Amino acid sequence: MFSMDVDRRTVLRAAVAGGAGVGLAATGLGDSARAGQPTDPDGPARGPRIAILLFDGIAPIDAIGPYEVLSRIPGASVVTVGKRTGPVRTDNGVLTLGVDRTLSQVRRADVLLVPGGNVHGVQTDPDTIRWIQRIHRHTTWTVSVCTGSLVLGTAGLLRGLRATTYWSLRDQLAQYGATFVPGRYVEAGRIMTAAGMSAGIDMSLHLAARIAGERVAQALQLVVEYDPDPPFDTGSPEKAGPELVRLALELLGQPAPR
Amino acid sequence: MFSMDVDRRTVLRAAVAGGAGVGLAATGLGDSARAGQPTDPDGPARGPRIAILLFDGIAPIDAIGPYEVLSRIPGASVVTVGKRTGPVRTDNGVLTLGVDRTLSQVRRADVLLVPGGNVHGVQTDPDTIRWIQRIHRHTTWTVSVCTGSLVLGTAGLLRGLRATTYWSLRDQLAQYGATFVPGRYVEAGRIMTAAGMSAGIDMSLHLAARIAGERVAQALQLVVEYDPDPPFDTGSPEKAGPELVRLALELLGQPAPR
């Protein structure tokens, strides 16, 4: 059972293990002792409980981008959830992320985040899909990044809604009864879907504003120093053009579309 | 000993474990069977060997942003390296990332990536600092994100160089003999330093262009759908102003500067 008490203990244990309070004067960055606790006495006494679904095949930036933003909302607590506790392998097989709680251990969340990647294993796992449906009943926000929206679709949560997903898979949204609309993120009722990978950062700032107000969200943008200035302007298929689209699909390891 | 052969086996094992090839038609995203292998017959037969240092206190986006870009360079192989194999806890205590190789198991890399976060433990660990110095001797590129540059500084690699770091710690670069210059990333010889957290994405696209050419880097920008459009414009202290700077420092869990 996921509760603030359990989560605070986890955070404090990690703080002790990680030596929080040591060296902060030197590096000034990341005081785990205060994570998960209100930082503003005028802010909410208890912040949002955020559950992040992790699975084999995940595109890690889909989870990590929003994590860096949302975990620093005053009073926020974050739990990683999966079929089993322990490591999951990311989509291209190298990196692992750790799952702290099994599905049955997490029964409520204010924010449910479903990342994308190679999501077929999630879409075909009835336990995970049912868990998403159950958690969604009581969330304030159910959000996805990249192909995470296809998982929400599989759970039946996108019917009749406007949504987005990874650029190469936009036409798949229709099969879940959703209508693709362009943009970095799409808010539809209490569901928010982000475009691919890095779009989770833009979405999480918008979500932070919804949860904690614009001032906090603006400060969080500074916390993650999100002042983007990419060396190229090829971040959407429209801007990249067909030749780069083909190369991008090749680099993703999939055949080019006919 | 880190070699392409070992790494290919790892990738292929992960591909089998992760069920690569299953469901790709459905999701189209992330074919682990081809990760770590050349995807372009005209490209290099052997791509860059990339070593990412992981440690307790890491800001995960510092590693994950560049990982999503660099791991998809044709022929690239990626290894995560740390004091011990197994999970490390991130800066605010919740998420864990997995270390695949110990320091002594990795003797060469073409690209060494040092992420930031709460880096005091790394800066005060002679084994890790010596390992960075040793690996740097033979790298093509030694790069950092966020406070990772302070670790490079501790290793003596920034003396006389232009560099950048997390926005709140710019004045610390001087103590390592480096000169702060503004920008999302700074290239100085074969050392590249990025500003805070999300700046690692911008830097890794520039680095990908240096390694594999602009066309590949532009395609990689599309792969990670990096077409940034944040809801606010407060991603640097200059743009955010003093009040948001104060709030950001508070959210980071550190006292405001005098």
Side-chain angles (χ1 to χ4, degrees), chain A residues 8 11-16 18-22 24 30-39, chain B residues 91-93 118 252-253:
Chain A
R8 278 218 180 114
V11 167
L12 290 172
R13 259 203 312 276
V16 172
V22 180
L24 291 176
D31 179 350
S32 25
R34 293 180 63 173
Q37 298 195 0
T39 52
Chain B
D91 51 356
N92 47 13
N118 185 345
L252 272 168

Side-chain angles (χ1 to χ4, degrees), chain A residues 45-110:
Chain A
R46 173 184 163 145
R49 298 168 303 174
I50 300 163
I52 303 179
L53 182 68
L54 299 183
F55 50 87
D56 282 319
I58 189 174
I61 198 171
D62 295 7
I64 300 294
Y67 167 81
E68 292 280 21
V69 172
L70 301 176
S71 66
R72 293 183 169 96
I73 290 174
S77 61
V78 180
V79 67
T80 54
V81 194
K83 287 281 279 185
R84 280 166 294 276
T85 57
V88 296
R89 278 273 158 199
T90 55
D91 51 356
N92 48 12
V94 177
L95 215 77
T96 62
L97 302 181
V99 173
D100 275 341
R101 296 280 189 282
T102 61
L103 299 174
S104 62
Q105 287 176 317
V106 177
R107 298 184 191 174
R108 291 286 172 102
D110 302 311

Side-chain angles (χ1 to χ4, degrees), chain B residues 139-177:
Chain B
T139 57
T140 312
W141 297 100
T142 297
V143 306
S144 66
V145 178
C146 200
T147 49
S149 58
L150 305 182
V151 177
L152 297 187
T154 304
L157 307 187
L158 295 188
R159 268 191 288 272
L161 300 186
R162 295 147 49 96
T164 189
T165 190
Y166 192 64
W167 57 267
S168 69
L169 298 163
R170 292 170 182 171
D171 58 3
Q172 293 212 11
L173 284 169
Q175 75 188 73
Y176 305 108

Side-chain angles (χ1 to χ4, degrees), chain A residues 136 140-142 161-162 186-192 206 210:
Chain A
H136 173 67
T140 313
W141 297 100
T142 298
L161 299 186
R162 295 147 48 96
V186 178
E187 186 182 325
R190 59 192 179 94
I191 290 187
M192 228 181 260
H206 176 70
R210 288 292 202 195

Side-chain angles (χ1 to χ4, degrees), chain B residues 43-246:
Chain B
R46 172 185 164 143
R49 298 168 303 176
I50 300 163
I52 303 179
L53 182 68
L54 299 183
F55 49 87
D56 281 319
I58 189 173
I61 198 172
D62 295 7
I64 300 294
Y67 168 81
E68 292 282 21
V69 172
L70 301 176
S71 66
R72 292 184 170 96
I73 290 175
S77 60
V78 180
V79 67
T80 54
V81 194
K83 286 281 279 185
R84 279 166 296 276
T85 57
V88 296
R89 279 271 160 200
T90 55
D91 51 356
N92 47 13
V94 178
L95 215 78
T96 61
L97 302 181
V99 173
D100 275 340
R101 296 279 188 284
T102 62
L103 299 174
S104 62
Q105 287 176 314
V106 177
R107 299 184 190 174
R108 291 287 172 102
D110 301 311
V111 178
L112 168 61
L113 169 65
V114 179
N118 185 345
V119 295
H120 183 259
V122 179
Q123 289 181 297
T124 55
D125 178 57
D127 290 345
T128 304
I129 296 299
R130 272 196 300 265
W131 178 82
I132 289 170
Q133 293 166 332
R134 207 162 52 231
I135 295 294
H136 173 66
R137 245 173 261 150
H138 301 283
T139 57
T140 312
W141 297 100
T142 297
V143 306
S144 66
V145 178
C146 200
T147 49
S149 58
L150 305 182
V151 177
L152 297 187
T154 304
L157 307 187
L158 295 188
R159 268 191 288 272
L161 300 186
R162 295 147 49 96
T164 189
T165 190
Y166 192 64
W167 57 267
S168 69
L169 298 163
R170 292 170 182 171
D171 58 3
Q172 293 212 11
L173 284 169
Q175 75 188 73
Y176 305 108
T179 308
F180 166 75
V181 292
R184 293 292 278 172
Y185 48 84
V186 178
E187 187 183 325
R190 60 193 176 93
I191 290 187
M192 227 181 263
T193 52
M197 302 204 190
S198 62
I201 303 174
D202 299 277
M203 180 188 72
S204 62
L205 290 168
H206 175 71
L207 180 58
R210 286 292 201 193
I211 293 172
E214 289 213 347
R215 198 169 146 266
V216 166
Q218 287 167 345
L220 288 170
Q221 183 173 351
L222 178 57
V223 164
V224 298
E225 204 162 345
Y226 189 44
D227 186 25
D229 188 16
F232 312 108
D233 190 18
T234 55
S236 73
E238 293 76 18
K239 291 177 177 174
E243 202 208 330
L244 286 176
V245 162
R246 242 183 333 266

